[in-house]
Amino acid sequence: MELTTLQIVWFFLVAILFAGYFVLEGFDFGVEMNVAALGKGDSERRGKILSTIGPVWDGNQVWVLVGGASIFAAFPEWYGTLFSGFYVALLLLLLVLIVRVCAFKYRSKSDDPTWVKTWDWIHIISGFVPALLWGVAFANIIRGVDIDESKFVTTSLFGLLNPFGLLGGITFVLLFWLHGTAYLALKSVDPIREDANALVGKLAIPTIVAGAAFLIWNQLAHANTAITWVPLLLAAVALVAALVLNRMRREGLTFLATSLAIVMAGLQMFGGLFPDVMPARNVAANGLTVAEASSTEHTLMVMLIAVCVFLPIVLAYQIWAYWVFRARVGSPEESAQPATLGERAKAGYRAAFEQN
């Protein structure tokens, strides 16, 4: 079946949406992991760590809905086959994300140490578990699973825990942890800022090693094209640059470097997968390609028009929100009396978050 331009465009739109989601939600997961790593048993310190993502985490989480809805509408066969085999893992991911919302809302409802500590541990789990599940899931999508003639995945849940899948999970955990720690260094004041900078330096080396092993393994064993060596090398350069920039205490550039590494890793995975969407390990003919999984040309065109209209609006709003909350948490700039509309919005949102 011949590929069309719209099918190619939508495949890479899905790739870009998920790469963007991993950049935005990735640092949320990483910050939550640091409730254990940098919280040091201090409830107030843990609260300050979580406050760095308080105004933005819910907006970041929306992007997974956009990415999932795009697969559902643009590639319904992909969506159906994916859920036939990944249902339990994705359901577990959904449950963790739901409980995570409760952790943000209920943590400050009581001063009881047991209550606060319980929700802190839920935050920690909500950082590590989704990162691990996303890594295992995407590793198995690009590696391929067993699929029968009805396009139903027959690989079991434990079958997804193969060496390549587990390496993908470990890589996602380390990469998001590094990314979130770089964000925490950018958004905090001392002593959290200094501790976060030190942790970035410690996490960078194992992240580079795991990331290199995962992406090179993917390139050599599963990628369908040699061109994806380019984003692989760019991801490697970005991670090394993050380590160098961290030692120079260039926190903004360090965060940009980890963001670039995530985007390039995402493009390497999706680019290497193309033109497949669900490769079959047992019988190659049972796998799904972009052309076989896509909706009609009319549907793809209507969706593309909608994306061109609404996506810039969403991006503009999110950029504005990040600009409003650009000050470090606990800094004099953040504590100053709000004067402009944006500053008043910031103060109101921060108050609402603290009350919840």
Side-chain angles (χ1 to χ4, degrees):
M1 190 177 296
E2 188 175 347
L3 279 169
T4 68
T5 301
L6 280 175
Q7 289 169 344
I8 296 171
V9 167
W10 266 104
F11 177 83
F12 285 101
L13 270 177
V14 168
I16 291 168
L17 288 171
F18 272 97
Y21 166 69
F22 288 142
V23 168
L24 295 173
E25 189 78 312
F27 71 72
D28 290 339
F29 294 147
V31 168
E32 288 179 289
M33 294 177 199
N34 279 315
V35 171
L38 299 178
K40 297 181 179 178
D42 185 338
S43 177
E44 182 179 354
R45 186 183 177 94
R46 295 194 297 265
K48 290 178 180 178
I49 290 172
L50 291 170
S51 291
T52 61
I53 57 172
V56 297
W57 70 269
D58 48 356
N60 295 342
Q61 191 168 250
V62 168
W63 287 97
V64 71
L65 302 178
V66 177
S70 296
I71 294 178
F72 175 78
F75 302 103
E77 294 293 332
W78 184 9
Y79 187 90
T81 300
L82 179 65
F83 269 85
S84 73
F86 292 69
Y87 183 82
V88 175
L90 293 174
L91 179 61
L92 177 60
L93 174 64
L94 178 62
L95 289 175
V96 172
L97 293 179
I98 290 172
V99 175
R100 175 181 183 238
V101 175
C102 299
F104 275 107
K105 297 297 182 182
Y106 294 150
R107 181 185 185 274
S108 60
K109 294 297 184 182
S110 172
D111 294 329
D112 179 68
T114 302
W115 172 273
V116 175
K117 188 175 181 179
T118 299
W119 291 114
D120 284 343
W121 274 105
I122 291 175
H123 273 297
I124 296 164
I125 294 169
S126 300
F128 280 103
V129 172
L132 180 67
L133 290 176
W134 279 122
V136 171
F138 268 85
N140 278 282
I141 289 172
I142 60 182
R143 171 182 179 267
V145 290
D146 292 340
I147 302 175
D148 64 19
E149 295 82 357
S150 301
K151 307 301 181 185
F152 189 91
V153 175
T154 57
T155 300
S156 67
L157 176 63
F158 291 105
L160 300 178
L161 303 178
N162 52 76
F164 186 71
L166 291 174
L167 178 59
I170 292 170
T171 300
F172 271 53
V173 168
L174 288 172
L175 186 55
F176 290 169
W177 192 0
L178 174 67
H179 187 48
T181 308
Y183 179 81
L184 194 57
L186 179 64
K187 293 292 294 179
S188 301
V189 295
D190 287 335
I192 295 176
R193 176 186 180 184
E194 187 61 30
D195 291 347
N197 274 313
L199 185 56
V200 167
K202 295 176 182 177
L203 286 172
I205 298 299
T207 303
I208 291 170
V209 172
F214 176 66
L215 293 181
I216 291 173
W217 187 351
N218 175 42
Q219 184 64 40
L220 295 176
H222 307 300
N224 292 323
T225 176
I227 198 172
T228 46
W229 278 107
V230 175
L232 187 158
L233 294 173
L234 289 174
V237 170
L239 285 177
V240 173
L243 176 60
V244 174
L245 291 165
N246 167 254
R247 291 177 176 175
M248 296 170 62
R249 289 298 185 265
R250 302 297 297 274
E251 292 154 343
L253 292 177
T254 301
F255 179 70
L256 286 176
T258 58
S259 300
L260 178 62
I262 292 173
V263 171
M264 289 298 108
L267 292 180
Q268 194 267 351
M269 289 189 293
F270 275 93
L273 181 64
F274 183 82
D276 297 321
V277 290
M278 287 291 292
R281 289 187 64 83
N282 52 340
V283 180
N286 291 348
L288 275 174
T289 65
V290 172
E292 293 168 340
S294 76
S295 294
T296 64
E297 288 289 288
H298 177 72
T299 300
L300 296 178
M301 178 56 72
V302 171
M303 290 174 56
L304 186 61
I305 293 171
V307 166
C308 291
V309 173
F310 292 107
L311 188 60
I313 297 173
V314 174
L315 288 173
Y317 170 77
Q318 199 151 25
I319 291 170
W320 176 81
Y322 276 96
W323 176 253
V324 169
F325 293 101
R326 65 190 181 277
R328 294 177 183 271
V329 173
S331 66
E333 291 84 358
E334 192 213 24
S335 305
Q337 181 67 28
T340 67
L341 176 62
E343 289 170 339
R344 289 196 296 271
K346 176 176 67 175
Y349 201 110
R350 181 77 69 194
F353 173 72
E354 291 173 352
Q355 290 173 4
N356 285 329

